[in-house]
Amino acid sequence: MTAVASSQLGTLQQTSNHEIISDYVKPPLHLPLPQPSAHVVNNIARHQAAVAQGNGRRRRPTERPAAHVDSRQFSKSRSDLAPRDQPVPRPTESPVSQDPHGARPRGQLLRASTDIGPRLESPAPRRDITEENWELRHGWEDQYNSSEYLGLLSSAFYMYYTDKRHETGGKPKDEDHSHPPQEWRMRDRLKTVSAALAICLNIGVDPPDVVKTNPAAKLECWIDPTLSTAASSKTMEHIGKKLQEQYETLSIRVRYKVFLDPSVDETRKFCTSLRRNAKDERILFHYNGHGVPLPTQSGEIWVFNKTYTQYIPVSLYDLQAWLGAPSLYVFDCSHAGNILLNFDRFVEKHEAENAELRLQDPTAQPQSYGDNIQLAACEKSESLPTSPDLPADLFTCCLTTPIEISLRFFVLENRLPSDLTLNDIGRIPGRLQERRSPLGELNWIFTAITDTIAWNILPRALFKKLFRQDLMVAALFRNFLLSERVMRANGCRPMSMPQLPETHNHSLWQAWDLAVEMVLAQLPAMLASEDGGPQYEYQHSNFFTEQLTAFEVYLAQGAPSQKAPSQLPIVLQVLLSQVHRLRALVLLSRFFDLGPWAVNLALTIGIFPYVLKLLQSAAWELKPVMIFIWARILAVDGACQADLLKDNGYQYFLSMLNPQSGLPVGNASEHRAMSAFIVAMFCKDFRQGQVVCLTPELFDICIGHLRDAENPLLRQWSCLCISMLWADFPEAKWVGIRSFAHQKLCEMALDPVPEVRAAALHALTNFLGIPHLTEQVAQSEESIASTVLIMTTDGNSMVREELLVFFSTFVKRYINKFLVAAYEQLVEERDLLLHPSAELDAGGPYVTQASRNSSGASIPTVSRNSVQGSIWMHLLVMTIDAHPGVAQNAGIIVDYVHESLLESPLGPRANPIIDEIIQFSRRPVAMSRQPSAAPAPRQPHVSPSPTPQPSQRQEGYLSIGMRRTASVAAALKHLALGPPASSDDVLASSLRNTATNASAQQQPLPGPLRSRVPAEWSRPPDEHDHVSNSVVYQHAKVPMPRGFKSRDPSQAPSIPLKSGFFDWSIEYFREPQMKPNEPDEPGSDDYNSRLWRRVRNEKTMTMTQPLKGHAGSSRWDISSGFFNNGTQPMKMCFHQFEEHLAVADDRDTICIWNWQQSARVNRFSNGNPSGSKINETQFINEDDQALLMTGSSDGMIKIFRNYESEKQIEMVSAFRALTDLVPSNKNAGLVFDWQQGQGKLLVAGDVKVVRVWNAATEICTNDIPARSGSCITSLTSDQVAGNVFVGGYGDGAIRVFDQRLKPAMAMIKVWREHKQWITNVHMQRGGLRELVSGSRNGEIKLWDIRKDAPLDTMTATKQTLRTLSVHEHAPVFATGTERHNVNVFNVNGTFLNSIEPYSSFLQHNRSSAIAATAFHPHRIDTFGVYSMVIFGSSNCNGNGGDDRDEAHSEELVGALARIFTAKRDLGELSRLLS
């Protein structure tokens, strides 16, 4: 840094330790967001009256026209929490950030929320609600005006399924360790142990080829030999002693040997002796040739004969042979470049001789000559400076006394205003080792500057070799940088080998000059004070303060492009000072927080010894930042365990883990979590660490932290700390048993945080395996296994995968018991195939039933009611898990047990049973109903399939038999037929086969429960749909989770499975925690994209709000889009803001359409097994980057990201939402309702409960009894508070529930006005929050949950009502019938128009049913209709009826869609608004 730059930075004022620490734990800042533009508000105000009067229905005396609110009232969109056409009072305090320069307040950029709350406020004064004729349904008007509701609006909004566990799939980024940590330790560290100081001066005799100027430089080691009155030998001894003292300031541990005017024999003797004693360590050879001739062209140096009458040359070849390698050479003489230029030539000659020697004698160990470092004073044709103001050995003085020569150089180069002389500058007070003294501070600054110059200019490998490998080499090269600057100013260019880039013009030399000048400016006052003058207090340099400020500026910029900071070596030096240490550590922690690359840089620069030494410090204020730094170091490189063991450094973190130890920070629990992480890393695969940490107190501390409800990170790492402590360490497991640690970990099975649940499973897995399997040990392990069985229904795939790791370890330990359970399961499966009627007595899929003999009599089983039998049943179910990773890992365990069974003594008994099961699974059976298929070319050699007869039993959910058979058949098929092409094929084919078998084996179910009404009234409207099964269904690609790797079928299954959870958890400490996430960082691409989406969403709603009133009085009959889905549609939904339409067919395929362009953008498979179908689709997180959620009739919920991209689509999460689907009087499959504002998923269907899943915790939080024997056909809920929801039933009943009540008392209202199957029941998100229901007989009713009777009843059609869709905000609904028409009504019963979506000359009858209808959530001019069209075609080839290729007819199924809009005047109004 230049002096000007330093002065511009200024001096940073000293802050207290508490201020620095508070800054270190500063909470994240809120991010500002500009308000909507004025024209948006003006447009809304302009059409306010039209909207108020155009609601399209007769107002009752208590109603009033709707008004609008201003979006500036709230800092985010909350359209799911309130209607957009009602006033909401302004909150007392709005979460805005005030500009310090007096600008207007700006709203915060929070996560946008879908349909949750008012956006715009009328600029006119708000009137009291009683003054107008207006009210909401259900009595929610007061709720929306309450302070509780306003507080809900101002609270933070969360996006779901976007956490790291969903982004990574729970897999470590570097799972295969393809990017190991950088090597920062000096594995080949050397040290200089001996030094030969050869001084050839021959005082009084000038060499023949040297012409000295007059006056000339005389000082040798700061001694003038011409002024000495003693004999020349005494003067030489004095000079030699002085040179040794100067070298001792660099390294005092080196053994120095001074050679004064040596002869050839002495040189050889001393050099060989040094090499013999040094062995493989480095030797320093310093040569001062000022009294001998110049080096020769071939690089020879000169010494004397014994009588000093002749100069004797010494060849470099001989010198290298005497000293060997590694060696460090310093040549201080004129023309020294000749030596360096010839040095490598002789080294190559030695190496050639060594190679020849090895050929002759392979066992020979010749001397090494390769590792050499050379420093030379000048180039081959240059002479040393002869200025009388400089010493004669200027190069040596630069290398050994850099401070003295720097001061002299500065005085000679710059005119001082004071009367200081060259002699005065040598009187600077202090010692080099005292950093608080003037001389010591200069030396400290010099070290920091030279290190920084080398760090910024040299390649990393060269810097590491020269400045970190050897203390002597590092000191000499730091001073060599100064010699390059000083000697270049005097006409010489020093040389080195290895060669260094030019450093003499680096900008930091100006900072050095500034530091020297500040000392010299104070020197007269300091000298006067020493001579008895006034007392003077030395003013310390602000160099380090300014450099820390520059480092802070670098950190504030966010380290662009991961560029290394130039101040990093200076920060390293600052750690030596107690004054700046805390600030330097805080800045260093911020630098470490940038990521592993920053940690590697700091470790490479040499930070580790400093932070290791600081563990011995008792300074209380350093503890939080030291914990943070060490957590980042161990996260990047865990091989520091031996260093922590040395000097008991681990005790530093054990003491901080204790809750009794106070920490001077607000987030003490987070720092204790870091301490737990450090202790866990210290114990990981390090038995010595486990031994020293093994105390009951540590178990008690970790168990105590499990009760910390505020910090899940602390709970997670407390579990992992216990896991690493007793992993493969039986003594620790017994200590844990005595502390009841395993029982406490079992209690974490229902922790609200998935990472904590997975961590507890990781610890329990490592608990298994105590060598002596006593009864107590077996009891404890089986108790743990039975406790964690509940986690098989966990909603998080990472937890279920970790559970499978536990199961695999448990199976391996009790393999014999699992072989018995597997054998008995095979027998049971065989018996069920032989006696299908006995299946209904099974007692559910999770109950092991008794096997049967040939006569059907029950035989008691050994594994019944055992833990092993229960686990085996759960493993079979998990082989068809919704998540591919879970299913694959469960299949590995099942395959391993089956293969072990075949190799066990039970193998001969199991083989015939397996053959029977496989034969049964291959039998062709007729399905009761085949879903539709995409049109495909007719395949030759395919005979027509017989037309299946309709059955009372409909598919759509997995029967008990299927759930038992699927995994078994998959495993057995693999065993019998050999490994297939891929594990995916095994799973897919087995699921298809077993589902077919299961459906064929089902018996007709009893009739409807309500026998007083006709049976068909309680059946779904599509029960009579029938499509030929002759067309081949075109299967689409199944999206996989990120990081999923298919199993190699050629590899035999092996257990226990390996867990990657610990490595995945470590990554938390490798990621930035102190700065906002990328989407929350202003200016980032993600931030700008989110801001753009926010503006687009606001614009969409601003444009559509004035149209909502007109929609109830306009016709919907203008066709604006048409496309063919290819398969029969079942469900469809619009994205609120993107132009995306999701269409699910009657099997497992989903198509994503751009409805504006009538173009399909993606088609993929949901992956549910055959025999099931997709029941629900819905977009979530629509305000930002939406995800697609699907629910299928097998009880599975799946969520996909990038659903619109064929290449980038991924599965985010998948879980079984309904684990106990049972037969009901008619199939409804699975229905759900998503509450974005609450992050809850309500799931129901062919079950006796309504299950509430929490998206944040990913566990089922409530099971509310359905209070009916009929299935639930439809769910809808209040999207504001999310407490009230409504369910429609197959028997025509409608029930209202309140989640705030106890589950047994949650039902607060039941209506039985409908007598038939409820087609749909829906509550509006906006508008007047109308609650509309429709039954299959065409009856439509409007409800208010406060009333016992419907508000209005209307008959939409005399035909069977197939679909009912209600607009979210406009007073409009539409019905689809089985006679191929769609009727659009106003909520007051006014018929608007009728639509026939598809008609052509090919389709003359109008018997095609409407399959699906949907309104766009916001746009008033968009309404989608899907219908099914069946037409026939034939093709004759003329070969006759007996030919295999004879003509036959096929029924082609196509799903045709039209997008209809309201009358054209709405389109004109929309264009005017835009």
Side-chain angles (χ1 to χ4, degrees):
M1 178 179 294
T2 63
V4 175
S6 300
S7 61
Q8 289 177 347
L9 285 174
T11 304
L12 182 67
Q13 296 181 353
Q14 295 292 333
T15 57
S16 66
N17 293 341
H18 295 290
E19 291 173 342
I20 294 179
I21 295 176
S22 63
D23 180 69
Y24 166 65
V25 295
K26 186 182 300 182
L29 298 176
H30 291 289
L31 305 177
L33 174 69
Q35 294 295 333
S37 58
H39 80 276
V40 173
V41 181
N42 294 334
N43 286 338
I44 298 302
R46 190 182 308 141
H47 300 282
Q48 192 174 20
V51 176
Q53 298 174 1
N55 57 2
R57 61 188 301 268
R58 296 183 299 271
R59 294 197 302 274
R60 298 180 178 87
T62 57
E63 296 178 346
R64 66 167 186 175
H68 289 285
V69 291
D70 193 334
S71 67
R72 292 173 295 180
Q73 176 172 340
F74 299 102
S75 60
K76 56 181 177 175
S77 59
R78 307 280 297 197
S79 53
D80 272 338
L81 290 183
R84 302 191 184 285
D85 45 1
Q86 65 171 14
V88 177
R90 180 182 299 275
T92 56
E93 293 183 3
S94 180
V96 298
S97 56
Q98 185 69 36
D99 194 310
H101 301 291
R104 63 185 179 89
R106 296 177 296 178
Q108 303 169 2
L109 176 58
L110 300 176
R111 289 180 181 267
S113 54
T114 303
D115 267 1
I116 303 183
R119 305 264 181 154
L120 297 178
E121 179 187 18
S122 171
R126 180 178 59 83
R127 290 175 291 178
D128 188 82
I129 197 164
T130 59
E131 297 177 4
E132 296 191 19
N133 196 11
W134 188 93
E135 72 171 1
L136 287 178
R137 294 280 183 237
H138 321 300
W140 287 338
E141 175 185 343
D142 295 336
Q143 174 189 358
Y144 296 156
N145 291 331
S146 66
S147 59
E148 179 183 359
Y149 171 60
L150 296 179
L152 180 64
L153 287 178
S154 60
S155 63
F157 182 81
Y158 297 98
M159 312 304 286
Y160 298 96
Y161 297 102
T162 57
D163 295 327
K164 180 190 172 185
R165 61 179 180 268
H166 304 115
E167 296 290 339
T168 62
K171 300 293 189 299
K173 295 179 181 178
D174 190 20
E175 190 174 8
D176 55 355
H177 302 286
S178 57
H179 300 285
Q182 296 183 12
E183 182 59 44
W184 53 270
R185 294 180 184 268
M186 294 300 303
R187 301 298 180 187
D188 54 347
R189 180 179 293 276
L190 296 175
K191 59 181 179 180
T192 302
V193 296
S194 302
L197 307 180
I199 305 175
C200 301
L201 294 180
N202 196 13
I203 298 175
V205 179
D206 293 335
D209 55 354
V210 175
V211 178
K212 290 187 177 181
T213 60
N214 189 15
K218 300 178 181 179
L219 299 179
E220 297 284 352
C221 296
W222 302 104
I223 297 174
D224 188 352
T226 61
L227 297 180
S228 177
T229 58
S232 60
S233 60
K234 295 293 183 182
T235 304
M236 283 293 295
E237 291 178 3
H238 193 193
I239 293 174
K241 184 178 180 180
K242 184 65 174 177
L243 179 60
Q244 179 177 342
E245 291 176 355
Q246 292 175 184
Y247 265 107
E248 286 176 347
T249 60
L250 305 181
S251 179
I252 197 173
R253 296 184 178 181
V254 178
R255 298 188 299 269
Y256 296 97
K257 183 66 175 178
V258 180
F259 308 132
L260 304 177
D261 293 338
S263 63
V264 175
D265 295 335
E266 291 174 341
T267 303
R268 180 177 62 253
K269 177 182 177 181
F270 290 144
C271 290
T272 54
S273 175
L274 288 177
R275 171 49 59 196
R276 183 169 56 253
N277 295 330
K279 297 181 181 179
D280 294 331
E281 299 291 349
R282 180 173 280 120
I283 294 175
L284 168 65
F285 180 77
H286 179 95
Y287 175 74
N288 184 330
H290 297 173
V292 294
L294 301 175
T296 63
Q297 292 292 330
S298 60
E300 296 172 316
I301 61 174
W302 299 87
V303 292
F304 304 94
N305 60 1
K306 293 183 179 181
T307 59
Y308 298 98
T309 58
Q310 290 182 344
Y311 299 106
I312 307 298
V314 176
S315 172
L316 283 178
Y317 178 85
D318 295 333
L319 186 62
Q320 293 170 358
W322 300 339
L323 290 174
S327 296
L328 171 60
Y329 297 88
V330 178
F331 300 105
D332 187 358
C333 59
S334 298
H335 295 199
N338 282 325
I339 305 174
L340 264 64
L341 295 177
N342 290 279
F343 195 92
D344 288 342
R345 179 166 58 90
F346 292 105
V347 170
E348 294 172 0
K349 185 176 181 181
H350 281 293
E351 294 295 341
E353 293 175 354
N354 287 344
E356 184 178 353
L357 179 60
R358 292 190 187 95
L359 291 176
Q360 297 176 0
D361 184 7
T363 61
Q365 296 181 352
Q367 173 67 48
S368 174
Y369 299 97
D371 188 4
N372 293 293
I373 300 174
Q374 305 103 46
L375 300 176
C378 57
E379 292 189 350
K380 63 178 182 178
S381 59
E382 294 177 346
S383 299
L384 297 178
T386 58
S387 172
D389 295 326
L390 298 173
D393 58 345
L394 179 60
F395 185 63
T396 299
C397 289
C398 289
L399 295 181
T400 57
T401 57
I403 305 302
E404 288 84 346
I405 203 65
S406 295
L407 293 169
R408 183 176 290 262
F409 177 74
F410 182 83
V411 172
L412 294 176
E413 294 291 325
N414 301 278
R415 185 179 182 88
L416 297 180
S418 60
D419 296 331
L420 288 176
T421 64
L422 292 177
N423 294 330
D424 292 334
I425 62 176
R427 298 176 56 192
I428 294 179
R431 297 173 58 246
L432 293 175
Q433 293 76 17
E434 297 176 356
R435 284 186 291 272
R436 298 300 295 170
S437 66
L439 187 60
E441 186 178 62
L442 270 181
N443 186 59
W444 186 25
I445 295 174
F446 176 80
T447 303
I449 287 178
T450 51
D451 256 13
T452 304
I453 293 175
W455 165 260
N456 291 324
I457 291 183
L458 270 60
R460 293 288 180 260
L462 185 58
F463 175 84
K464 186 177 177 181
K465 176 181 179 181
L466 299 182
F467 287 83
R468 293 296 180 263
Q469 190 182 57
D470 188 340
L471 292 178
M472 175 64 78
V473 175
L476 286 177
F477 269 90
R478 275 196 296 266
N479 301 341
F480 178 78
L481 301 183
L482 175 67
S483 70
E484 186 180 17
R485 183 187 189 214
V486 173
M487 298 199 69
R488 276 179 177 268
N490 290 276
C492 291
R493 286 177 291 180
M495 298 179 64
S496 67
M497 192 62 65
Q499 187 175 359
L500 303 185
E502 293 184 357
T503 60
H504 65 282
N505 55 357
H506 196 277
S507 59
L508 273 179
W509 286 121
Q510 300 180 37
W512 170 241
D513 290 340
L514 178 62
V516 171
E517 183 178 4
M518 292 179 64
V519 173
L520 292 178
Q522 301 179 70
L523 184 56
M526 289 187 291
L527 294 178
S529 177
E530 289 183 356
D531 295 339
Q535 190 70 24
Y536 181 79
E537 183 178 355
Y538 174 69
Q539 301 296 319
H540 294 280
S541 172
N542 57 2
F543 170 78
F544 290 106
T545 302
E546 293 175 350
Q547 293 301 318
L548 287 179
T549 303
F551 187 47
E552 193 170 5
V553 171
Y554 165 86
L555 294 174
Q557 294 175 348
S561 304
Q562 296 187 357
K563 182 181 179 181
S566 59
Q567 301 84 12
L568 195 57
I570 299 176
V571 177
L572 183 68
Q573 291 294 324
V574 172
L575 294 179
L576 300 173
S577 169
Q578 292 185 356
V579 176
H580 306 290
R581 181 174 296 163
L582 179 58
R583 186 187 176 202
L585 286 174
V586 171
L587 294 178
L588 194 61
S589 67
R590 290 176 55 188
F591 179 66
F592 276 26
D593 191 60
L594 295 177
W597 68 272
V599 178
N600 281 318
L601 272 180
L603 292 176
T604 304
I605 198 67
I607 198 73
F608 186 77
Y610 293 81
V611 295
L612 182 63
K613 188 67 175 177
L614 285 175
L615 293 180
Q616 309 303 320
S617 173
W620 201 250
E621 66 274 8
L622 299 182
K623 292 186 180 298
V625 65
M626 285 294 296
I627 292 173
F628 186 93
I629 289 175
W630 268 97
R632 264 55 189 177
I633 292 176
L634 289 175
V636 173
D637 190 350
C640 302
Q641 297 155 318
D643 301 285
L644 287 176
L645 184 63
K646 183 174 58 178
D647 299 330
N648 296 327
Y650 66 94
Q651 291 287 352
Y652 191 91
F653 307 104
L654 285 178
S655 62
M656 291 298 101
L657 192 56
N658 193 327
Q660 303 300 326
S661 62
L663 283 170
V665 288
N667 55 345
S669 60
E670 185 172 351
H671 284 77
R672 291 196 175 92
M674 297 180 199
S675 299
F677 162 70
I678 294 171
V679 175
M681 292 296 295
F682 176 62
C683 296
K684 183 176 182 290
D685 302 327
F686 187 54
R687 179 52 58 89
Q688 292 175 286
Q690 291 175 309
V691 171
V692 297
C693 291
L694 180 56
T695 58
E697 291 76 15
L698 180 57
F699 275 100
D700 294 339
I701 290 173
C702 292
I703 291 173
H705 288 321
L706 296 181
R707 295 189 290 269
D708 189 330
E710 300 297 328
N711 195 324
L713 187 67
L714 178 57
R715 300 199 303 274
Q716 175 185 348
W717 279 104
S718 296
C719 293
L720 294 177
C721 182
I722 295 176
S723 178
M724 292 295 102
L725 182 58
W726 64 24
D728 300 323
F729 191 22
E731 291 80 0
K733 295 176 183 179
W734 281 110
V735 175
I737 290 175
R738 287 189 285 271
S739 300
F740 303 101
H742 60 295
Q743 297 180 8
K744 301 297 182 182
L745 289 170
C746 289
E747 296 175 3
M748 310 305 293
L750 295 178
D751 191 275
V753 179
E755 288 83 353
V756 178
R757 302 197 295 271
L761 280 172
H762 191 278
L764 293 173
T765 302
N766 282 338
F767 175 80
L768 301 177
I770 296 179
H772 302 291
L773 187 57
T774 63
E775 184 177 353
Q776 179 187 0
V777 172
Q779 225 172 26
S780 299
E781 293 180 348
E782 290 181 355
S783 174
I784 293 172
S786 62
T787 303
V788 301
L789 278 176
I790 191 176
M791 304 178 78
T792 56
T793 60
D794 198 288
N796 183 264
S797 60
M798 182 177 65
V799 177
R800 300 199 302 276
E801 288 187 11
E802 198 63 30
L803 178 63
L804 286 175
V805 177
F806 173 88
F807 281 163
S808 67
T809 308
F810 191 80
V811 169
K812 184 78 172 179
R813 186 163 172 81
Y814 298 93
I815 185 61
N816 292 332
K817 294 185 178 181
F818 279 95
L819 295 181
V820 174
Y823 173 76
E824 292 179 348
Q825 176 64 24
L826 290 176
V827 174
E828 175 189 345
E829 202 73 38
R830 189 267 316 273
D831 293 342
L832 287 176
L833 294 173
L834 294 175
H835 308 282
S837 59
E839 184 177 0
L840 295 177
D841 301 328
Y846 300 106
V847 180
T848 304
Q849 63 178 349
S851 62
R852 301 174 182 270
N853 56 20
S854 58
S855 61
S858 176
I859 301 176
T861 58
V862 177
S863 62
R864 182 168 186 169
N865 297 328
S866 68
V867 175
Q868 288 78 12
S870 299
I871 292 179
W872 181 246
M873 294 299 299
H874 281 84
L875 283 173
L876 293 179
V877 174
M878 294 179 77
T879 56
I880 53 171
D881 191 272
H883 193 275
V886 176
Q888 179 173 274
N889 289 344
I892 292 175
I893 302 175
V894 171
D895 289 348
Y896 177 85
V897 174
H898 280 158
E899 290 191 1
S900 300
L901 176 62
L902 296 179
E903 297 173 359
S904 69
L906 289 175
R909 292 173 176 245
N911 268 315
I913 300 175
I914 293 174
D915 294 337
E916 291 183 58
I917 294 176
I918 293 177
Q919 290 176 4
F920 275 103
S921 65
R922 290 175 177 173
R923 288 184 181 179
V925 293
M927 297 288 292
S928 61
R929 173 189 175 196
Q930 283 289 342
S932 72
R938 190 168 55 124
Q939 301 293 330
H941 310 293
V942 177
S943 59
S945 300
T947 303
Q949 298 298 324
S951 170
Q952 283 188 337
R953 173 71 181 272
Q954 301 292 331
E955 103 296 344
Y957 56 88
L958 295 180
S959 65
I960 299 173
M962 174 185 171
R963 284 189 287 183
R964 283 203 187 93
T965 313
S967 58
V968 177
L972 298 184
K973 186 175 182 180
H974 173 70
L975 292 174
L977 305 179
S982 68
S983 59
D984 296 336
D985 296 337
V986 173
L987 183 60
S989 62
S990 63
L991 290 177
R992 287 193 292 269
N993 292 335
T994 53
T996 303
N997 294 338
S999 299
Q1001 296 163 7
Q1002 297 304 313
Q1003 300 297 323
L1005 296 174
L1009 298 180
R1010 301 177 65 186
S1011 58
R1012 291 172 296 178
V1013 298
E1016 64 272 8
W1017 287 16
S1018 298
R1019 294 175 183 170
D1022 58 350
E1023 65 171 338
H1024 297 299
D1025 288 354
H1026 171 69
V1027 180
S1028 173
N1029 60 354
S1030 62
V1031 180
V1032 178
Y1033 186 79
Q1034 296 180 350
H1035 291 277
K1037 178 182 177 182
V1038 179
M1040 291 297 166
R1042 184 174 300 180
F1044 175 77
K1045 296 180 180 178
S1046 298
R1047 173 185 170 191
D1048 186 358
S1050 63
Q1051 293 184 355
S1054 175
I1055 60 173
L1057 302 173
K1058 294 183 179 179
S1059 170
F1061 177 74
F1062 189 84
D1063 294 333
W1064 179 85
S1065 300
I1066 293 175
E1067 292 179 353
Y1068 173 86
F1069 297 102
R1070 297 175 186 161
E1071 299 167 349
Q1073 305 295 334
M1074 293 185 182
K1075 69 175 185 178
N1077 295 327
E1078 188 71 13
D1080 301 327
E1081 186 72 32
S1084 66
D1085 292 341
D1086 291 345
Y1087 180 93
N1088 293 337
S1089 299
R1090 176 171 292 177
L1091 186 60
W1092 178 86
R1093 286 190 291 268
R1094 163 89 183 252
V1095 174
R1096 177 205 59 186
N1097 301 349
E1098 294 285 353
K1099 180 180 178 181
T1100 299
M1101 289 180 291
T1102 301
M1103 292 175 58
T1104 56
Q1105 279 186 9
L1107 307 179
K1108 294 172 183 176
H1110 297 275
S1113 58
S1114 301
R1115 293 175 57 84
W1116 296 68
D1117 55 0
I1118 301 175
S1119 178
S1120 61
F1122 171 83
F1123 45 89
N1124 187 349
N1125 195 60
T1127 55
Q1128 178 179 334
M1130 293 300 294
K1131 294 292 179 181
M1132 58 187 293
C1133 64
F1134 285 93
H1135 192 291
Q1136 289 196 61
F1137 307 110
E1138 302 285 353
E1139 297 173 352
H1140 294 161
L1141 172 66
V1143 180
D1145 66 10
D1146 60 342
R1147 282 197 179 183
D1148 67 343
T1149 303
I1150 300 173
C1151 294
I1152 308 297
W1153 293 84
N1154 185 316
W1155 56 266
Q1156 286 279 29
Q1157 302 175 2
S1158 297
R1160 191 177 72 186
V1161 296
N1162 193 16
R1163 179 177 183 267
F1164 62 94
S1165 172
N1166 190 56
N1168 47 291
S1170 57
S1172 63
K1173 60 182 179 181
I1174 302 173
N1175 289 119
E1176 296 282 354
T1177 60
Q1178 192 165 346
F1179 293 102
I1180 66 175
N1181 301 346
E1182 293 177 89
D1183 272 300
D1184 197 45
Q1185 294 178 326
L1187 306 175
L1188 181 63
M1189 177 182 289
T1190 66
S1192 52
S1193 59
D1194 58 349
M1196 302 295 187
I1197 295 291
K1198 297 182 181 180
I1199 303 168
F1200 303 93
R1201 75 161 64 88
N1202 302 327
Y1203 57 85
E1204 75 282 3
S1205 173
E1206 183 178 356
K1207 297 181 179 179
Q1208 299 179 357
I1209 185 172
E1210 294 175 339
M1211 179 184 291
V1212 178
S1213 181
F1215 60 96
R1216 189 185 295 273
L1218 297 179
T1219 57
D1220 49 358
L1221 280 173
V1222 297
S1224 64
N1225 48 348
K1226 207 57 212 170
N1227 170 24
L1230 176 148
V1231 294
F1232 70 76
D1233 185 58
W1234 167 252
Q1235 297 178 338
Q1236 181 72 42
Q1238 302 297 319
K1240 292 181 181 179
L1241 181 67
L1242 307 176
V1243 188
D1246 293 331
V1247 290
K1248 306 303 181 185
V1249 296
V1250 178
R1251 186 154 289 173
V1252 182
W1253 287 87
N1254 190 309
T1257 62
E1258 298 187 67
I1259 56 177
C1260 178
T1261 57
N1262 210 354
D1263 275 349
I1264 301 176
R1267 303 288 294 272
S1268 174
S1270 180
C1271 61
I1272 298 179
T1273 64
S1274 178
L1275 277 178
T1276 186
S1277 64
D1278 167 30
Q1279 295 289 336
V1280 183
N1283 296 318
V1284 176
F1285 67 90
V1286 182
Y1289 288 75
D1291 59 0
I1294 297 176
R1295 289 176 172 84
V1296 184
F1297 298 86
D1298 192 333
Q1299 299 184 56
R1300 293 168 292 187
L1301 302 177
K1302 293 181 179 180
M1305 305 174 63
M1307 191 186 75
I1308 58 175
K1309 182 79 67 176
V1310 57
W1311 297 306
R1312 291 188 172 90
E1313 301 294 327
H1314 289 289
K1315 303 303 180 182
Q1316 296 194 22
W1317 179 283
I1318 299 298
T1319 301
N1320 190 19
V1321 58
H1322 186 81
M1323 180 183 293
Q1324 286 184 313
R1325 293 180 180 179
L1328 295 182
R1329 311 307 301 278
E1330 298 284 6
L1331 177 60
V1332 184
S1333 66
S1335 59
R1336 61 168 284 164
N1337 62 353
E1339 215 174 43
I1340 305 297
K1341 296 181 182 294
L1342 273 67
W1343 305 91
D1344 189 309
I1345 64 174
R1346 298 170 295 179
K1347 302 182 182 300
D1348 295 330
L1351 299 177
D1352 199 357
T1353 301
M1354 61 195 80
T1355 301
T1357 178
K1358 297 296 185 180
Q1359 308 159 10
T1360 300
L1361 183 68
R1362 297 296 298 263
T1363 67
L1364 169 64
S1365 298
V1366 183
H1367 199 282
E1368 295 290 359
H1369 303 283
V1372 177
F1373 67 89
T1375 61
T1377 70
E1378 63 179 2
R1379 301 296 296 171
H1380 196 71
N1381 65 346
V1382 177
N1383 300 323
V1384 184
F1385 295 86
N1386 188 288
V1387 292
N1388 64 352
T1390 303
F1391 176 76
L1392 299 182
N1393 65 285
S1394 181
I1395 306 168
E1396 289 189 1
Y1398 177 78
S1399 61
S1400 72
F1401 68 92
L1402 294 176
Q1403 182 70 15
H1404 296 289
N1405 63 11
R1406 297 296 180 258
S1407 60
S1408 305
I1410 298 298
T1413 58
F1415 281 101
H1416 192 283
H1418 292 297
R1419 297 178 66 99
I1420 311 301
D1421 57 349
T1422 304
F1423 171 62
V1425 180
Y1426 257 112
S1427 61
M1428 181 181 67
V1429 180
I1430 307 176
F1431 57 94
S1433 64
S1434 63
N1435 181 21
C1436 298
N1437 56 11
N1439 292 333
D1442 295 333
D1443 198 309
R1444 294 178 60 185
D1445 294 331
E1446 65 180 75
H1448 63 275
S1449 63
E1450 291 182 330
E1451 287 182 319
L1452 302 181
V1453 180
L1456 304 177
R1458 284 189 182 272
I1459 303 296
F1460 289 89
T1461 65
K1463 223 172 182 181
R1464 196 169 300 278
D1465 56 349
L1466 290 181
E1468 294 295 331
L1469 180 57
S1470 176
R1471 282 190 290 274
L1472 288 175
L1473 287 177
S1474 62

